[in-house]
């Protein structure tokens, strides 16, 4: 499953309307979704009402971004009989602290992570990598943190994958070449887009458009 935020367009007067300059829909209502990564089924969501939402979430001792993921994960476990879930998140949510909490719930997490997050290995922040060079750490025997220099620096965290690589065929300078790429990056690219695809499917249904009788 994937957890990400989405903006529902709205330009009226409302207290909890948000402005996101980098998103296609800049003005609207912010909603946090939990979607199936394969079929984009929206299982659960949290509308953001500002301080009201912050105070209603569980675990007030944790950061707000971690509390969102834990809340959606608990809703998923409470309403299904499945187990062994794997959550994909982006750098807005991912942190070593969140990974430990989900590990206790027997849930895996994989995602990009900010190098400035608390408890992230300090050596990965300072180490300068050459092109296509990799540096990985194993923390608490539970999670893997890595820094990789591809076209730009990428920092990732996972409690499921290690620093293994996979041989793929790509194009560099318009020439087909085979090279090794990290499995964790390939899987993250494959399964993280569930929420974006759900938004795309919603956009295909023009139910707000005027139509002829």
């Amino acid at each position: 499953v994937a957890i990400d935020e989405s903006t529902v367009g709205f330009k009226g007067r409302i207290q909890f309307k948000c402005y996101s300059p980098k998103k296609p829909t800049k003005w609207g209502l912010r909603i946090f979704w939990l979607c199936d990564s394969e079929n984009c089924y929206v299982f659960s969501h949290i509308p953001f009402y500002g301080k009201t939402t912050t105070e209603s979430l569980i675990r007030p001792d944790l950061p707000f971004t971690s509390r969102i993921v834990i809340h959606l994960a608990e809703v998923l476990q409470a309403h299904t009989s499945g187990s062994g879930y794997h959550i994909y998140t982006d750098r807005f949510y991912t942190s070593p602290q969140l990974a430990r909490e989900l590990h206790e719930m027997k849930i895996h997490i994989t995602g990009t992570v900010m190098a400035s997050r608390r408890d992230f290995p300090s050596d990965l922040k300072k180490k300068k990598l050459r092109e296509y060079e990799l540096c990985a750490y194993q923390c608490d025997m539970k999670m893997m943190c890595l820094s990789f220099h591809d076209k730009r620096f990428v920092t990732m965290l996972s409690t499921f994958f290690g620093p293994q690589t996979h041989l793929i065929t790509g194009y560099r300078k318009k020439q087909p070449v085979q090279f090794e790429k990290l499995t964790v990056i390939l899987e993250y690219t494959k399964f993280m887009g569930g929420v974006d695809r759900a938004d795309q499917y919603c956009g295909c249904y023009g139910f707000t458009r005027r139509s002829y009788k």
Side-chain angles (χ1 to χ4, degrees):
V1 294
I3 292 179
D4 203 356
E5 66 176 37
S6 177
T7 303
V8 178
F10 182 75
K11 292 185 178 181
R13 294 184 179 181
I14 198 168
Q15 187 175 7
F16 47 86
K17 182 175 63 175
C18 299
Y19 176 66
S20 304
K22 295 184 179 181
K23 291 189 176 291
T25 306
K26 294 177 173 51
W27 289 98
L29 311 180
R30 183 178 297 173
I31 302 178
F32 303 99
W33 304 95
L34 185 146
C35 293
D36 187 294
S37 296
E38 292 188 358
N39 54 32
C40 307
Y41 175 78
V42 178
F43 181 83
S44 180
H45 69 280
I46 305 176
F48 181 68
Y49 300 124
K51 188 178 180 181
T52 305
T53 303
T54 306
E55 294 177 348
S56 64
L57 293 174
I58 60 174
R59 298 297 302 276
D61 56 311
L62 295 176
F64 172 67
T65 53
S66 299
R67 294 165 67 190
I68 294 171
V69 177
I70 293 174
H71 176 83
L72 291 172
E74 287 193 348
V75 172
L76 179 64
Q77 287 186 323
H79 290 81
T80 60
S81 58
S83 61
Y85 289 107
H86 192 162
I87 294 178
Y88 289 83
T89 57
D90 62 12
R91 62 200 300 267
F92 180 71
Y93 308 92
T94 315
S95 68
Q97 192 175 19
L98 173 62
R100 294 190 188 97
E101 295 292 335
L102 292 178
H103 186 268
E104 294 180 0
M105 298 169 62
K106 298 182 179 179
I107 295 178
H108 293 291
I109 182 173
T110 296
T112 54
V113 60
M114 298 181 190
S116 59
R117 291 289 191 186
R118 183 179 178 182
D119 296 334
F120 193 78
S122 58
D123 291 347
L124 293 181
K125 304 176 187 178
K126 302 175 183 178
K127 191 176 180 63
K128 294 184 178 180
L129 303 177
R130 298 187 300 272
E131 192 174 12
Y132 307 121
E133 186 179 2
L134 165 71
C135 183
Y137 278 76
Q138 186 176 10
C139 305
D140 301 333
M141 302 299 291
K142 299 175 184 177
M143 72 185 84
M144 182 269 303
C145 300
L146 66 83
S147 179
F148 179 65
H149 187 188
D150 193 358
K151 294 180 180 178
R152 59 185 177 87
F153 284 99
V154 179
T155 50
M156 300 203 68
L157 181 150
S158 178
T159 58
F160 186 83
F161 297 103
Q164 297 87 3
T165 58
H166 186 73
L167 184 64
I168 64 170
T169 302
Y171 288 87
R172 287 177 180 169
K173 296 182 180 179
K174 298 183 180 181
Q175 298 295 326
V177 293
Q178 286 190 336
F179 56 93
E180 299 284 343
K181 193 158 187 178
L182 287 165
T183 304
V184 63
I185 294 179
L186 294 173
E187 294 297 311
Y188 174 81
T189 305
K190 180 179 178 181
F191 292 113
M192 184 54 204
V195 177
D196 293 334
R197 284 174 56 199
D199 283 342
Q200 182 182 358
Y201 291 157
C202 290
C204 295
Y205 294 91
F207 51 85
T208 59
R209 257 184 250 153
R210 294 186 180 185
S211 59
Y212 291 104
K213 290 185 179 180

